[in-house]
Amino acid sequence: MQPIAIQNTGLVTSVGLTSATACAAIRTGISNAQETTYIGSEGEWIMGHCVPLERPCRGMTRLVKMAALVIQECLAEVPKDQWETIPLLLCVADTEQPGRLESLDDQLLAEVQRELKVEFAAKSSVIPCGRVSVAMALQNARQLIYEDGIPLVLIAATDSLLTWSTLSVYENNYRLLGNGNSNGFIPGEGAAALLVARPNGTAQLRCMGIGIDKENAHIDSEEPLRANGLTNAIRTALIDAGCEMHDLDFRITDLSGEQYYFKEATLALSRILRQRKEKFDIWHPAECIGETGAAAGVAVIVIANSASRNGYSSGPNILAHMASDPGQRAAIVLQWRND
């Protein structure tokens, strides 16, 4: 096994602009959904989770500002002159997300570096896989740390679903939660970051196993859902971590309200869990921060880290799993260790 440890985090959401404030709000169940400036097909204002930035901005600028905030928080304890030695793995919306900025893959990394007045290490890259990007980023980070000998790797994500080009597609496909639709999600936006390294012997949340797979019966498919992709991803993560499903204490996911994804999570659990558990909680922070796209995957790790560090998690062994609309599935086994 090649575990990687969470050294520090950053989080920007509609309920807090730092990891501490956002995680505290999520812990107490605070939600901050508000009316957006967009009207749905039923003539009602579309609700959304908007990040309260100091100055109004849109598009690329908004993504850059949110990313800069979480990176600055995450690297607060690292001298600025050392930032250039750290690769930045930047997680962004998957290529099929409605309303996705055309220049996202080519410009965002450069714009973030310009905003922060720093150039990150040469092996920095953009990972355009939406909510499951965090798993790809952790895989890449593990390789950079253990094979390339890089001591610190920065993973960051930024995304927003609060543009009309995005909302109009979800609205037309009846995927937004509203008075006329209970099978939907509340759109949001946000950013999150993780600074990862080899375990240093102190109390840390560690990534012990990673699994990635593909679901053919994705949300837009007409194939019957059997949760093959998520089941395989979880099994791979468990093998990678050297444990079984019943060894884990709770789950934390990117579930944001749609019945399809809840059904998938239930099916995957029923196919893997072979020993009865009295309690196996499932956390879904999107009920507080909304559907935040690529930021959701990194955010669940940040929240799991806060819960573990502050002693309110349901146990030290955690399963995080994520799913993207095009069909990618990811699972991550996390463990809080004191040695």
Side-chain angles (χ1 to χ4, degrees), residues 21 26 36 67 80 90 93 95 112 114 128 146 172 200 234 275 308 318:
T21 56
I26 293 165
T36 67
K80 188 72 177 280
L90 190 55
T95 55
V112 169
R114 188 174 296 112
Y146 282 94
N172 290 335
N200 60 16
I234 294 173
Q275 290 189 23
S308 299
I318 308 164

Side-chain angles (χ1 to χ4, degrees), residues 180-242:
N181 182 29
S182 60
N183 179 21
F185 60 83
I186 300 179
E189 61 185 358
L194 305 168
L195 183 63
V196 299
R198 287 182 184 234
N200 60 16
T202 62
Q204 294 174 308
L205 184 68
R206 304 178 186 183
C207 170
M208 307 299 292
I210 304 167
I212 298 170
D213 209 277
K214 179 79 172 180
E215 176 58 64
N216 292 325
H218 54 78
I219 194 167
D220 295 320
S221 167
E222 296 183 358
E223 295 184 33
L225 176 63
R226 297 186 179 90
N228 291 332
L230 184 58
T231 299
N232 292 336
I234 294 173
R235 282 178 174 155
T236 301
L238 292 170
I239 292 170
D240 193 22

Side-chain angles (χ1 to χ4, degrees), residues 65-112:
K65 295 291 185 184
M66 292 191 296
L69 285 173
V70 295
I71 290 172
Q72 287 171 325
E73 180 187 0
C74 201
L75 297 181
E77 298 176 7
V78 180
K80 188 72 177 280
D81 60 2
Q82 295 180 21
W83 289 17
E84 63 184 16
T85 67
I86 302 173
L88 169 59
L89 307 180
L90 190 55
C91 304
V92 299
D94 64 64
T95 55
E96 296 183 36
Q97 180 169 301
R100 187 182 194 271
L101 296 173
E102 293 183 2
S103 56
L104 199 59
D105 297 348
D106 300 327
Q107 295 184 18
L108 183 61
L109 179 57
E111 292 293 335
V112 169

Side-chain angles (χ1 to χ4, degrees), residues 85-151:
T85 67
I86 302 173
L88 169 59
L89 307 180
L90 190 55
C91 304
V92 299
D94 64 64
T95 55
E96 296 183 36
Q97 180 169 301
R100 187 182 194 271
L101 296 173
E102 293 183 2
S103 56
L104 199 59
D105 297 348
D106 300 327
Q107 295 184 18
L108 183 61
L109 179 57
E111 292 293 335
V112 169
Q113 293 182 130
R114 188 174 296 112
E115 176 73 15
L116 294 169
K117 297 181 174 58
V118 68
E119 188 166 332
F120 290 99
K123 293 193 176 181
S124 299
S125 62
V126 173
I127 303 176
C129 297
R131 296 189 294 269
V132 303
S133 296
V134 64
M136 283 77 165
L138 286 167
Q139 274 193 337
N140 292 352
R142 185 159 62 179
Q143 179 178 339
L144 291 170
I145 291 167
Y146 282 94
E147 297 181 18
D148 298 346
I150 296 174

